[in-house]
């Protein structure tokens, strides 16, 4: 895990964002303010959006105001995040798009996950020079070998074709405008650039774009990305073939297979396997959502290749067996942590790309399986971690002999990514999580095109084991944790939410649902509440405020809490969520983080 910001930087980010007076830019429509002010909550009836960024939220609002639907607005916001949050998302990456269609009442999803190139061998993470596995950092993280075939642009195209009203060209317009006129650099952007400085210096194009004049852009300065604007313009003119075929596809393949580092870098940068054919053949998957019933709600999530839907769903099925609302908050949190550990054990054993391995999705979401898993949950004592996985091939919901110890599933997922939520006046809803994996992806900007390539293939298990569902296989999608979630109540959307955060995404989504549904919090409180995450490891990682509030009681129950953060930064945050709650009378409450990652931006259509 590699959170990107210190707590101090985060609050400084809020301040900076609030203090920078919105400068004006001249456009063909006359001067226009650059959106910089961030509101964590907005309430309206004619459309709503929540993202981490005011420019992206403004782009969505513009589309909604002009009559576009939630899908149009979600693509406009995502494309804008490619400009303003280039270290977390963009056309060089992938993601998962969940859509509730008001007319049919159905939830459908698009799996736009990056894939392994077809020539990627299963020993790709072994250094041929030494015969030993590459180190995760820096070799795999800053490499060509971890670059997967990007799926984001194909996701936008498919979503618009299926459910949107705008063309891709129209949906890209607000983002292209922001790329050309520039946006105001905040503390988060500067800090994320500094976090990546060594990697960006290793590539001429990355250095030129993100370290102009040798330094990360200053807080309050205007950052433009004309090369990305030109790339978006080319896509608007020619369609996605401007990306998946022709010169840009050849250029991406060339730099992945032969990373062009600058002479004065020590970074090793192992080459990868991407070919123009991989790009030409990339296909999204339109697929059913996972569904779990939870206390009168229907919770829809992302099926494999993401582990999000099954792991959140299984944990909820376990928790549904207990009346959390009748417990003290500490007891309820104990159940949340224990259910999460059990679900993570099963995630490690069973989850991988369904097109390559047989994932027992139905069993993992079966109430009888949950009943059997709940046998290992002691309401008054934390189990010794790691707990063992269940047997999804044979279960009857009856408690058997206690299982022995489990295995630690090594967690190498990095923290970056971004999440957005949109609802329109007709009741359509989009929950979309997109990423380039690590903050800064592979570190490799495509020369002349203004966007970073992902390093998503680091989400494969790094050591090859033929029994591992997440082992490297050519053409396969690495297992994700992204968990965009739409919850219905009485057949109507109730809340949509999601978050970045690597494997903590799953627990953040789970915790927010428990906060909202069981612990009596409003949706604002459910997002702002301090977080903790138990992913079947010895320790529970928690935000300092969580430890202050619940540490003593949970320690007494046998949990070992350690502050979030790692050796790289003193970051103490988990996730950066967005949500919309849909209330009676078409009331839409859009909610963003009040402070994590510099705070997010919730907006509604006002007239
Ligand atoms: N690569 C991660 C995943 O797909 C997301 C990374 C993150 O959220 O930081 O689950």
């Amino acid at each position: 895990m590699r959170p990107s910001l210190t707590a101090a930087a985060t609050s400084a980010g809020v301040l900076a964002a609030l203090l920078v007076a919105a400068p004006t830019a001249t456009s063909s429509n006359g001067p226009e303010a650059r959106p910089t002010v961030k509101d964590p909550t907005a309430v309206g009836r004619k459309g709503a959006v929540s993202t981490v960024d005011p420019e992206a939220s403004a782009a969505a609002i513009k589309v909604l105001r002009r009559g576009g639907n939630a899908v149009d607005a979600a693509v406009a916001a995502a494309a804008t995040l490619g400009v303003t949050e280039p270290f977390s998302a963009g056309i060089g990456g992938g993601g998962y798009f969940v859509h509730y269609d008001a007319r049919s009442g159905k939830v459908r999803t698009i799996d736009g996950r990056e894939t392994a190139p077809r020539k990627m061998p299963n020993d790709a993470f072994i250094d041929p020079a030494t015969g030993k596995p590459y180190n995760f950092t820096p070799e795999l993280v800053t490499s060509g070998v971890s670059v997967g075939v990007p799926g984001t642009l194909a996701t936008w195209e498919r979503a618009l074709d299926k459910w949107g009203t705008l063309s891709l060209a129209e949906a890209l317009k607000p983002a292209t405008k922001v790329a050309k006129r520039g946006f105001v650099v905040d503390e988060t952007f500067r800090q994320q650039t500094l976090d990546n400085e060594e990697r960006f210096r290793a590539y001429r194009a990355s250095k030129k774009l993100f370290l102009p004049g040798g330094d990360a852009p200053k807080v309050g300065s205007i950052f433009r990305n004309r090369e990305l604007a030109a790339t978006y313009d080319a896509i608007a003119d020619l369609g996605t073939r401007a990306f998946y075929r022709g010169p840009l596809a050849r250029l991406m393949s060339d730099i992945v297979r032969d990373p062009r580092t600058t002479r004065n870098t020590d970074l090793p940068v192992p080459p990868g396997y991407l070919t123009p054919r991989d790009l030409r053949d990339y296909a999204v998957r339109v697929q059913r959502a996972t569904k779990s019933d939870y206390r009168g709600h229907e919770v829809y999530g992302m099926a494999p290749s993401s582990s999000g839907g099954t792991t959140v769903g299984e944990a909820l099925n376990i928790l549904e067996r207990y009346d959390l609302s009748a417990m003290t908050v500490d007891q309820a949190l104990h159940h949340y942590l224990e259910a999460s550990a059990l679900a993570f054990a099963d995630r490690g054993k069973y989850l991988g790309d369904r097109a390559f391995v047989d994932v027992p999705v139905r069993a993992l979401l079966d109430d009888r399986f949950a009943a059997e898993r709940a046998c290992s949950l002691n309401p008054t004592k934390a189990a010794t971690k790691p707990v063992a996985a269940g047997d999804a091939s044979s279960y009857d919901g009856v408690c058997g002999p206690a299982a022995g110890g489990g295995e630690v599933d090594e967690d190498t997922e990095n923290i970056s990514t971004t999440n957005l939520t949109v609802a329109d006046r007709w009741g359509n809803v989009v929950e979309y999580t997109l990423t380039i994996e690590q903050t800064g992806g592979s570190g490799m900007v495509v020369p002349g095109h203004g966007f970073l390539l992902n390093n998503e293939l680091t989400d494969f298990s790094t050591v090859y084991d033929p029994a591992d569902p997440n082992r490297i296989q050519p053409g396969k999608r690495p297992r994700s944790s992204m968990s965009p979630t739409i919850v219905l109540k009485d057949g109507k959307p109730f809340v949509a939410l999601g978050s970045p955060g690597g494997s903590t995404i799953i627990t953040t989504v789970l915790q927010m649902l428990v906060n909202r549904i069981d612990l009596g919090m409003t949706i604002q409180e459910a997002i702002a509440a301090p977080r903790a995450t138990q992913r079947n490891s010895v320790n529970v990682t928690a935000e300092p405020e969580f430890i202050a509030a619940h540490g003593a009681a949970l320690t007494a129950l046998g949990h070992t809490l350690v502050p979030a953060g790692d050796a790289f930064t003193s970051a103490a945050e988990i996730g950066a969520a967005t949500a919309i709650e849909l209330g009676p009378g078409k009331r839409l409450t859009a909610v963003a983080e009040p402070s994590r990652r510099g705070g997010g931006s919730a907006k509604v259509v006002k007239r």
Side-chain angles (χ1 to χ4, degrees), residues 362-416:
R362 192 187 288 261
L364 292 171
L365 292 172
D366 188 333
D367 280 330
R368 277 181 312 149
F369 183 67
E372 202 161 299
R373 299 298 284 140
C375 301
S376 306
L377 196 162
N378 182 336
T380 55
K381 192 172 183 326
T384 303
K385 311 292 184 310
V387 296
D391 183 354
S393 64
S394 156
Y395 57 92
D396 55 13
V398 177
C399 295
E407 285 169 32
V408 176
D409 187 24
E410 202 200 336
D411 186 356
T412 49
E413 287 177 35
N414 283 287
I415 303 276
S416 117

Side-chain angles (χ1 to χ4, degrees), residues 113 413-417 437 456 459 480-482 500-502 505:
R113 183 69 158 170
E413 287 177 35
N414 283 287
I415 303 276
S416 117
T417 310
E437 214 313 275
E456 209 70 55
D459 278 0
S480 171
S481 299
M482 290 189 266
I505 292 172

Side-chain angles (χ1 to χ4, degrees), residues 32-45:
E32 190 178 313
R34 289 186 172 91
T36 54
V37 176
K38 296 178 176 181
D39 292 314
T41 303
V43 181
R45 288 191 155 75

Side-chain angles (χ1 to χ4, degrees), residues 208-282:
K208 185 171 147 228
L209 181 60
F210 293 124
L211 300 166
D215 184 23
K218 295 259 182 310
V219 173
S221 66
I222 303 300
F223 186 85
R224 294 184 178 82
N225 190 339
R226 294 188 200 286
E227 291 180 345
L228 181 57
T231 306
Y232 279 175
D233 277 339
I235 294 165
D237 284 348
L238 299 171
T240 54
R241 68 178 189 277
F243 182 90
Y244 287 106
R245 289 165 185 260
L248 176 51
R250 284 197 293 279
L251 179 60
M252 287 191 277
S253 311
D254 286 351
I255 62 170
V256 167
R257 284 182 297 174
D258 181 13
R260 296 172 201 164
T261 47
T262 51
R263 239 176 279 138
N264 46 3
T265 181
D266 294 332
L267 288 173
V269 192
Y273 299 90
L274 187 69
T275 63
R277 185 169 165 205
D278 290 316
L279 285 149
R280 193 192 66 202
D281 291 349
Y282 181 83

